[in-house]
Amino acid sequence: MTEQLLHLTEEALWEAARRSGTYEMSTRGRTLREEGFIHCSLPRQLPAVADALYGPDPEGLVVLVIDGDRLGAPVRYESVSPGGEEFPHIYGPIPVGAVLEVRPWAEHPVPEEGEAP
């Protein structure tokens, strides 16, 4: 299995994806078609991403735990600025079957890699 990929989203958007078979939102308020890829995070990156996108109101959010080996699209690690931190981007829709787990977002929902939950 490749490195665990995480995507924070609204529960209603995930439920819609489950019905359609694929998830196609890139980030808050932007689709895959608009952005060109789906923004993801590694476990250590997710708290800062959640704070930047959703602020102090995590109500109704879930974390998609994605198996990169089950994607039919490439994953590229890219930074916003030269030399900046790289984030995983999925260049295509996420098949529902590639989502291993859906976790409710909480203050500390994802342990750092190597830590016990």
Side-chain angles (χ1 to χ4, degrees):
M1 185 165 118
T2 59
E3 194 165 21
Q4 190 176 73
L5 305 173
L6 305 175
H7 178 79
L8 185 64
T9 190
E10 297 166 39
E11 187 172 17
L13 294 173
W14 168 243
E15 291 303 322
R18 287 183 58 217
R19 289 188 295 277
S20 73
T22 58
Y23 180 83
E24 299 189 27
M25 288 300 294
S26 176
T27 189
R28 187 176 189 188
R30 305 255 318 153
T31 65
L32 167 61
R33 174 174 266 151
E34 292 168 324
E35 196 73 6
F37 56 85
I38 296 175
H39 288 270
C40 290
S41 302
L42 301 175
R44 70 180 177 279
Q45 297 169 323
L46 193 61
V49 169
D51 188 52
L53 290 176
Y54 294 96
D57 186 20
E59 190 67 32
L61 299 179
V62 294
V63 178
L64 306 182
V65 180
I66 303 160
D67 181 349
D69 291 336
R70 295 184 184 185
L71 295 170
V75 177
R76 297 185 187 120
Y77 289 78
E78 302 168 313
S79 66
V80 175
S81 59
E85 183 173 17
E86 292 185 342
F87 289 83
H89 296 153
I90 300 172
Y91 279 83
I94 299 171
V96 169
V99 177
L100 302 175
E101 184 181 353
V102 179
R103 301 174 183 160
W105 176 250
E107 190 172 327
H108 300 286
V110 181
E112 291 292 324
E113 291 176 27
E115 288 183 3

